Amino acid sequence: EIYNYRGMHSIRNSLKFVLHLPLRAENLCNLKWECIDFKKKLLTIPRVEMKVKDKNLPDFQMPLSDEVINILNDQKPFTEHQEFIFLGTDNKSPINNESPNGALKRMGFNDERKGRKQRLHGFRGTFRSLIDTLDTDNRFSFDVKEKALDHQESNKVVRAYNHKADYTKQLKPLMDFWSDYILSLKDEVK
């Protein structure tokens, strides 16, 4: 249903994007073109823009699947001339953090009277739960799945020893696996 959403282009593409890459609402809605490296197929969000702003932690990096690149290329003609990828109605500022939730509500995903409560942040939980369920071969480590969500180690001793670890190569197959799964669901609906 998200792929067929008939509302604002930036909202539809932001929802498609977050299906494939489970960012927090703040990071999704304020995503900048400068964070995308199309050649390396890599997203880099400066640490100061993440929930955990610890300057000792590296910037958040996430490999981009082919479908995420397709979504960004679809968005490019509309917003590449501006700083933000997903522009609001003024075509200058980013979309509001609640705009994707409003679209989900209009599509009927967020209707508590019908027992449906799917909000933007829930995509992160769905990603994490389904990855654990679908990864029957245990190809993806706990640490890699947590890094995809930018969850940081709470144990200060452990964090002191691995805070510079680079999981980018391990994240690539995970994010491709996830994107392929999302696309398989889209194909089932057709």
Side-chain angles (χ1 to χ4, degrees), residues 6-157:
R6 297 201 183 275
M8 200 171 131
H9 197 77
S10 280
I11 300 297
R12 180 178 61 247
N13 277 340
S14 70
L15 285 170
K16 286 168 43 178
F17 188 92
V18 80
L19 277 174
H20 294 271
L21 209 159
L23 295 178
R24 291 180 178 93
E26 179 79 18
N27 297 119
L28 172 70
C29 296
N30 293 292
L31 196 58
K32 299 174 183 174
W33 284 111
E34 68 187 27
C35 295
I36 307 296
D37 184 329
F38 282 94
K39 286 183 182 173
K40 293 181 180 177
K41 293 172 68 173
L42 187 68
L43 165 70
T44 303
I45 300 176
R47 179 53 49 193
V48 297
E49 294 177 19
M50 297 302 291
K51 181 178 179 181
V52 178
K53 299 176 185 334
D54 186 335
K55 65 182 178 189
N56 295 312
L57 293 172
D59 293 340
F60 176 76
Q61 290 195 315
M62 180 65 75
L64 303 175
S65 69
D66 290 342
E67 180 61 9
V68 171
I69 294 294
N70 291 339
I71 294 164
L72 290 168
N73 281 329
D74 183 63
Q75 186 66 19
K76 250 183 171 183
F78 301 97
T79 64
E80 70 180 327
H81 59 285
Q82 295 289 351
E83 178 181 18
F84 298 100
I85 294 174
F86 305 115
L87 292 179
T89 54
D90 68 358
N91 287 318
K92 292 179 191 166
S93 306
I95 58 174
N96 182 287
N97 288 1
E98 284 301 315
S99 294
N101 284 328
L104 290 171
K105 188 170 187 170
R106 286 187 292 281
M107 287 186 278
F109 287 108
N110 191 16
D111 188 343
E112 291 186 58
R113 291 174 295 148
K114 293 181 181 175
R116 298 179 87 187
K117 188 174 180 188
Q118 178 65 50
R119 297 183 54 79
L120 193 60
H121 192 77
F123 289 2
R124 292 170 56 78
T126 299
F127 163 81
R128 189 62 176 85
S129 295
L130 279 176
I131 285 296
D132 278 347
T133 302
L134 298 169
D135 184 22
T136 56
D137 298 332
N138 295 313
R139 295 187 310 171
F140 310 114
S141 73
F142 174 83
D143 290 336
V144 170
K145 292 181 266 192
E146 289 295 291
K147 289 298 177 191
L149 297 169
D150 196 46
H151 289 168
Q152 301 300 325
E153 174 62 53
S154 59
N155 182 308
K156 291 180 182 180
V157 174

